[in-house]
Amino acid sequence: MTYRVITVSREFGSGGRSVAKELAKRLQINYYDRELVNELAKRSGFGTQFIEEHGDYVASSHSWLFDFSYMGVGSGRSVSDELYLCQRTLIQELAEQEPCVIVGRCADYILRDRTDVLRVFIHASNAFRQERIVTMYGERDEEPSKRLRDSDKRRQAYYKYYTDRNWGEAKNYHICLDTSVIGIDESAALLEGLIHHSS
Amino acid sequence: MTYRVITVSREFGSGGRSVAKELAKRLQINYYDRELVNELAKRSGFGTQFIEEHGDYVASSHSWLFDFSYMGVGSGRSVSDELYLCQRTLIQELAEQEPCVIVGRCADYILRDRTDVLRVFIHASNAFRQERIVTMYGERDEEPSKRLRDSDKRRQAYYKYYTDRNWGEAKNYHICLDTSVIGIDESAALLEGLIHHSS
């Protein structure tokens, strides 16, 4: 099988974004993550900051309530639903348009009916993730363990709401890798090997 | 990291046993699956048939009740618990004794504190598994879909009971592979590459 699109779902702090970026570089195809934000802002009318905060998970327990209860004027849908629908269309268009790597945003689920998509899930031990978020994003008032817990909960909730699937279940992916054991560059290399072997 | 032991957990019909066997052959190390049964029979006093039926999951809804309620004479433990404890000791001894591949039997959980174990989970689409169980084990009165459903339920229940973890959650493994997409031999080759690369 030849994979046209690789979707990379990842736990916060697992290095999944780095794996995806490195993989795209090795395969010489485009990588879409924050790159989607500007296009989404243009299409949806939402601000880039709102999209960055809400495009992959609900930002906090406060805005969770806001997201799912507020109805956009005229549409009958919540703002979160509006953003999701806009993302879905964009991701479907991208998959049609060009080979690429897409990070997060339920792309695995959105493209589930395509047979040319490799679905990847990247996770890591909590110790690895805690160290990594402090190195990458700096210290915060909140403990790293709490930051991880909150992020996991939000991603789980977002994923469940839009896909009715459980986040991190192996069956939803073709390959799942633990970067705290396998390594970030090694994971990208392993995926590259798998993709080259299959084409 | 050098992996001394590889544990392979697998869905019924996914070809996980074949992946494990092929991997052991490629690595030129021993493979333990049904090979454990005779040793367990000798140690536990249970018959080989009982062990084959109960060593990895509860055999049926009837014996499920039997397994968990019947108390072995003098021990205060159920027969299922006795068998599990015996398996646990044997698996811990094996890991200490020699590099090997161990299939199923909660070996991933039993050896969770060792840092030289690669934990693998093998799964596949239902269509792939249904076709495979008919090819491998023949037709039965029950539909293949029902045989899979029953087996999944029993493995989930067994794993949950002895590990308090959810079966098939990516976080419990270092690498999870879908053989219906990646292939059985290709999965073994990929794992071999990963193990060689890390040593």
Side-chain angles (χ1 to χ4, degrees):
Chain A
M1 180 197 285
T2 305
Y3 304 112
R4 178 179 167 81
V5 176
I6 298 103
T7 64
V8 179
S9 312
R10 79 292 178 220
E11 284 187 334
F12 179 47
S14 67
R17 179 176 286 159
S18 302
V19 172
K21 213 166 193 164
E22 175 62 23
L23 179 63
K25 196 174 133 195
R26 285 168 178 256
L27 298 174
Q28 297 182 289
I29 59 178
N30 279 328
Y31 158 89
Y32 292 104
D33 177 12
R34 287 177 178 144
E35 291 72 8
L36 296 174
V37 172
N38 286 341
E39 182 60 25
L40 279 168
K42 210 163 65 185
R43 291 189 184 196
S44 68
F46 293 121
T48 52
Q49 195 185 339
F50 179 85
I51 293 166
E52 276 179 347
E53 284 172 1
H54 298 72
D56 215 8
Y57 47 81
V58 284
S60 71
S61 55
H62 171 77
S63 65
W64 158 266
L65 289 173
F66 169 75
D67 286 347
F68 290 99
S69 62
Y70 175 76
M71 295 309 205
V73 180
S75 72
R77 290 189 286 262
S78 73
V79 286
S80 201
D81 290 350
E82 289 285 353
L83 181 56
Y84 177 78
L85 291 176
C86 199
Q87 277 189 172
R88 191 179 67 178
T89 306
L90 181 55
I91 285 168
Q92 284 167 337
E93 284 175 13
L94 271 178
E96 204 52 53
Q97 180 185 307
E98 57 170 325
C100 56
V101 177
I102 305 174
V103 175
R105 295 181 168 76
C106 302
D108 58 307
Y109 178 77
I110 290 168
L111 303 176
R112 68 194 176 282
D113 292 331
R114 294 187 70 110
T115 56
D116 56 358
V117 175
L118 182 72
R119 295 195 290 272
V120 179
F121 183 70
I122 301 291
H123 59 98
S125 70
N126 286 348
F128 178 93
R129 294 164 65 206
Q130 284 177 30
E131 199 182 313
R132 193 171 159 86
I133 61 170
V134 172
T135 310
M136 298 289 287
Y137 310 111
E139 298 273 3
R140 298 272 191 285
D141 288 343
E142 277 181 343
E143 286 294 309
S145 59
K146 184 163 179 352
R147 288 162 67 189
L148 284 187
R149 234 178 8 254
D150 287 352
S151 171
D152 287 349
K153 267 191 199 164
R154 295 195 310 258
R155 285 199 185 163
Q156 278 160 17
Y158 184 89
Y159 193 76
K160 184 74 182 175
Y161 182 81
Y162 286 111
T163 71
D164 200 27
R165 292 180 174 183
N166 295 320
W167 170 254
E169 222 170 78
K171 275 200 84 69
N172 297 336
Y173 307 95
H174 300 139
I175 178 165
C176 305
L177 299 169
D178 180 338
T179 42
S180 54
V181 166
I182 295 172
I184 290 177
D185 284 348
E186 293 77 2
S187 293
L190 188 151
L191 291 169
E192 184 196 12
L194 172 64
I195 291 161
H196 277 155
H197 183 81
S198 70
S199 61
Chain B
M1 181 196 284
T2 306
Y3 304 111
R4 179 181 167 79
V5 177
I6 298 100
T7 64
V8 179
S9 312
R10 78 293 177 220
E11 284 188 335
F12 179 47
S14 67
R17 178 176 285 157
S18 302
V19 172
K21 213 165 193 164
E22 174 63 22
L23 179 64
K25 197 174 133 198
R26 285 168 178 257
L27 298 174
Q28 297 182 289
I29 60 177
N30 279 328
Y31 158 88
Y32 291 103
D33 177 12
R34 287 177 178 145
E35 290 71 7
L36 296 174
V37 172
N38 286 342
E39 182 60 24
L40 279 168
K42 208 162 67 186
R43 292 187 183 198
S44 68
F46 294 121
T48 52
Q49 195 186 340
F50 179 85
I51 293 166
E52 276 179 347
E53 284 173 1
H54 297 72
D56 214 10
Y57 48 79
V58 283
S60 70
S61 55
H62 171 76
S63 64
W64 159 266
L65 288 173
F66 169 76
D67 286 347
F68 290 99
S69 62
Y70 175 75
M71 295 309 205
V73 180
S75 72
R77 289 189 286 263
S78 73
V79 287
S80 201
D81 289 351
E82 289 285 353
L83 181 55
Y84 177 78
L85 291 176
C86 200
Q87 277 189 171
R88 192 180 64 178
T89 306
L90 181 55
I91 285 168
Q92 284 167 339
E93 284 175 13
L94 272 178
E96 204 53 51
Q97 179 185 305
E98 56 172 325
C100 56
V101 177
I102 305 174
V103 175
R105 293 178 169 77
C106 302
D108 57 307
Y109 178 78
I110 291 168
L111 303 176
R112 67 193 177 283
D113 292 331
R114 294 186 70 109
T115 55
D116 56 358
V117 174
L118 182 71
R119 295 195 290 272
V120 179
F121 183 71
I122 302 291
H123 59 98
S125 70
N126 287 348
F128 178 93
R129 295 164 66 205
Q130 285 177 29
E131 199 181 313
R132 194 171 159 85
I133 62 170
V134 172
T135 310
M136 298 288 287
Y137 310 110
E139 297 274 3
R140 298 273 191 288
D141 288 344
E142 276 181 343
E143 285 294 309
S145 59
K146 183 165 179 349
R147 289 162 66 189
L148 285 188
R149 233 178 8 253
D150 288 351
S151 171
D152 287 349
K153 267 192 199 164
R154 296 196 309 259
R155 286 199 183 163
Q156 278 159 16
Y158 184 90
Y159 192 76
K160 184 74 182 175
Y161 183 80
Y162 286 110
T163 71
D164 199 27
R165 292 179 175 184
N166 295 322
W167 171 254
E169 221 170 79
K171 275 200 86 67
N172 297 336
Y173 307 94
H174 300 139
I175 179 163
C176 305
L177 298 170
D178 180 339
T179 43
S180 54
V181 166
I182 296 172
I184 290 177
D185 285 348
E186 293 77 1
S187 293
L190 187 151
L191 291 169
E192 184 196 14
L194 172 63
I195 291 161
H196 277 155
H197 183 80
S198 70
S199 60

